[in-house]
Amino acid sequence: MRIVLLGSPGSGKGTQASCIEKEFGIPHISTGDIFRDNISRNTAIGAEAKKFIERGLLVPDSLTVSIVESRLLEEDCNEGFLLDGFPRNIAQAEALDKDLEKMGKKLDAVVNLEVSAETIIERMAGRRICSDCGESYNLCFLKPAADGICDKCGGKLYIREDDKPETVMNRLNVYKNQTFPLIDYYKGKGILISVNGEQPADKVYGDICRVLERFK
Ligand code: ADP
Ligand code: ZN
């Protein structure tokens, strides 16, 4: 099963992707997580990506596409994968199509999480991340049991640098101008499935599972 999860920042992609990964046994590939991991390990890729991420801009396609290309060639992707946060513009989508074609594969479905702009802004303000295991929480709808502490590992929760209001504005603009057109791109290919992302996370997950069942 080869799936792309599409949606605005704050649409809940990361949360849904973790659940799908467990249930369907396919690797969850998040370009944002890959960049953050590189930044925390002080790699050259991390240093380059950081310049863009901290301004809320997209990391250049050349770097992003080559990271995804090599990740898709790893063995755990043979039976499928779930892309989260990639592609993020038409050029990346076309690069992905070409790569998959070379491998004799194609996408089964693109799941689009639909969430209104008001909800997005509210959610992004409540977002907290575990400094140890990377688990995400939200003070609006996915609260940790104890204030500021990760349920899973006891790590301290923090606010992501790029979740600050000025950066959030840039990210939402980038989404509108560059990522939103992908909805029509995948509609045109007949593989777009939209899910109402305004519902509670478990409801959203139920809807996603129902549509993905047929690609198992
Ligand atoms: P969100 O979906 O909440 O914006 P991500 O973790 O997916 O968070 O991405 C964080 C940042 O990483 C983005 O704002 C962008 O700077 C960079 N990034 C992630 N994926 C891509 C991509 N496919 N192309 C370019 N930049 C990316
Ligand atoms: Zn944790």
Side-chain angles (χ1 to χ4, degrees), residues 4-8 11 87-90 93 110-115 175-195:
V4 167
L5 252 188
L6 207 60
S8 161
S11 62
R88 241 179 167 90
N89 60 26
I90 299 282
V110 174
V111 177
N112 179 38
L113 293 180
E114 288 184 316
V115 179
Y175 171 77
K176 200 168 78 185
N177 298 324
Q178 303 196 47
T179 312
F180 188 76
L182 289 178
I183 294 178
D184 273 342
Y185 179 85
Y186 287 120
K187 238 185 222 165
K189 293 183 178 288
I191 55 172
L192 187 86
I193 298 167
S194 283
V195 168

Side-chain angles (χ1 to χ4, degrees), residues 12-183:
K13 289 192 306 287
T15 308
Q16 297 300 329
S18 303
C19 299
I20 298 168
E21 175 178 43
K22 275 183 220 129
E23 173 126 1
F24 294 86
I26 48 174
H28 165 204
I29 302 171
S30 155
T31 39
D33 285 350
I34 293 174
F35 289 137
R36 279 185 291 278
D37 174 58
N38 274 277
I39 291 170
S40 70
R41 289 186 294 114
N42 289 311
T43 67
I45 289 175
E48 179 64 14
K50 190 167 187 255
K51 294 190 272 183
F52 299 91
I53 293 177
E54 64 190 11
R55 287 188 286 153
L57 303 175
L58 292 187
V59 176
D61 292 341
S62 51
L63 178 58
T64 309
V65 168
S66 72
I67 285 174
V68 174
E69 279 175 344
S70 50
R71 181 64 187 86
L72 292 182
L73 288 172
E74 285 179 39
E75 213 180 315
D76 63 340
C77 293
N78 285 347
E79 298 305 313
F81 52 77
L82 172 69
L83 283 169
D84 159 15
F86 182 93
R88 241 179 167 90
N89 60 26
I90 299 282
Q92 293 181 7
E94 288 173 347
L96 176 63
D97 283 345
K98 272 205 196 112
D99 287 330
L100 290 175
E101 201 181 312
K102 269 189 237 153
M103 297 186 235
K105 296 174 175 173
K106 60 181 179 51
L107 290 175
D108 291 308
V110 174
V111 177
N112 179 38
L113 293 180
E114 288 184 316
V115 179
S116 70
E118 299 84 77
T119 306
I120 294 288
I121 290 164
E122 196 182 285
R123 284 185 184 178
M124 302 231 350
R127 187 140 82 165
R128 299 292 182 276
I129 313 284
C130 173
S131 50
D132 289 338
C133 74
E135 182 74 5
S136 49
Y137 294 88
N138 199 299
L139 305 186
C140 315
F141 59 94
L142 237 176
K143 269 191 171 177
D147 260 4
I149 309 277
C150 176
D151 292 350
K152 271 179 138 179
C153 78
K156 260 203 189 141
L157 304 184
Y158 73 103
I159 301 180
R160 234 166 71 180
E161 193 66 22
D162 60 344
D163 276 346
K164 288 184 300 191
E166 324 82 76
T167 318
V168 164
M169 286 279 284
N170 283 341
R171 287 164 63 204
L172 293 176
N173 274 327
V174 165
Y175 171 77
K176 200 168 78 185
N177 298 324
Q178 303 196 47
T179 312
F180 188 76
L182 289 178
I183 294 178

